[in-house]
Amino acid sequence: MRVVIAEDAVLLRAGVTRLLADEGIETVAAVDNGDDLLGAITEHRPDLAIVDVRMPPTFTDEGLRAALAARKEISGLPVLVLSQYVEESYAVELLSGGAGGVGYLLKERVADVDEFLDAVRRVADGGTAIDPDVIAQLMARGRRNPLDSLTARESEVLGLMAQGLSNNAIANSLVVSHGAVEKHIGNIFSKLGLEASSEEHRRVRAVLTYLGR
């Protein structure tokens, strides 16, 4: 796997680079601003971009805006966003852009090495990895159809899907059978109007519907 990192904090940038290297993941460029991120992505065409939200010059949302621009430049580019805060408006735009390969983690999650590396691999493979706190804040925006048709349990299952949990992990979390989880997911697909296609594709579309409400 080849990765581009955009992070203005030198120690964090070096730490993530070293952590990835220990797992055999190559960092082809490590930059500290949005403009250089776009240049590095265009030059290297990486398998994943790991992007800090707040970078120079204003330290507001340059990184997230650069990530959105990068996904327009290279359709389907997997992007894993790291942030100390939930930048709500841009987060919704990124996460509801109609494709997988997106993640949004709060920086405190990087301290959990296994969780961070799992998110890196999942997003690079086209899946999603969304911090539970990000999900909670986006949920506070209010519910609207078609998600209103989901039962409380189906909403809970979809929320765990949004975190990137597998069916087995969801079953363990809810202390239910694997078959019950599959039934709930089938109901979710039906209620969201997701026609039969590849299971993974429908799963990503369901999660993006959930996050883009």
Side-chain angles (χ1 to χ4, degrees):
M1 186 193 308
R2 300 166 66 254
V3 173
V4 166
I5 299 172
E7 165 62 59
D8 70 287
V10 176
L11 290 179
L12 182 56
R13 189 168 68 240
V16 171
T17 300
R18 177 62 181 273
L19 179 62
L20 296 177
D22 288 345
E23 295 296 313
I25 300 172
E26 179 186 5
T27 299
V28 294
V31 301
D32 63 2
N33 63 82
D35 289 341
D36 286 349
L37 167 64
L38 290 176
I41 286 171
T42 300
E43 177 182 354
H44 296 286
R45 301 272 169 163
D47 301 304
L48 173 70
I50 300 176
V51 183
D52 183 16
V53 168
R54 300 188 175 190
M55 292 192 293
T58 67
F59 293 96
T60 54
D61 55 16
E62 287 86 355
L64 197 44
R65 285 190 285 110
L68 289 168
R71 280 176 70 88
K72 291 178 181 177
E73 177 75 19
I74 302 177
S75 179
L77 171 72
V79 173
L80 176 59
V81 170
L82 303 178
S83 179
Q84 289 181 305
Y85 313 95
V86 180
E87 305 291 344
E88 188 172 310
S89 60
Y90 286 107
V92 169
E93 185 176 352
L94 176 68
L95 299 173
S96 62
V102 292
Y104 198 124
L105 297 182
L106 298 183
K107 285 188 175 180
E108 63 192 49
R109 301 291 174 188
V110 180
D112 187 326
V113 173
D114 290 338
E115 185 173 346
F116 173 66
L117 291 173
D118 178 65
V120 166
R121 295 188 180 96
R122 192 185 313 144
V123 172
D125 287 340
T128 58
I130 314 300
D131 194 292
D133 290 342
V134 174
I135 293 173
Q137 185 158 329
L138 295 181
M139 285 177 64
R141 292 166 56 90
R143 303 179 62 126
R144 62 176 182 269
N145 288 331
L147 297 172
D148 285 343
S149 64
L150 301 182
T151 65
R153 177 62 90 184
E154 288 163 359
S155 295
E156 191 174 13
V157 168
L158 185 51
L160 294 173
M161 288 167 61
Q163 293 180 38
L165 271 65
S166 67
N167 287 8
N168 284 334
I170 293 172
N172 291 335
S173 177
L174 299 179
V175 195
V176 298
S177 70
H178 185 273
V181 172
E182 289 186 335
K183 182 178 179 180
H184 288 312
I185 292 176
N187 290 340
I188 290 167
F189 290 159
S190 177
K191 291 180 179 180
L192 296 185
L194 300 176
E195 299 297 331
S197 61
S198 74
E199 185 75 11
E200 187 62 28
H201 182 59
R202 286 201 294 174
R203 195 180 187 94
V204 170
R205 288 172 59 198
V207 166
L208 293 174
T209 299
Y210 178 80
L211 295 171
R213 63 178 117 186

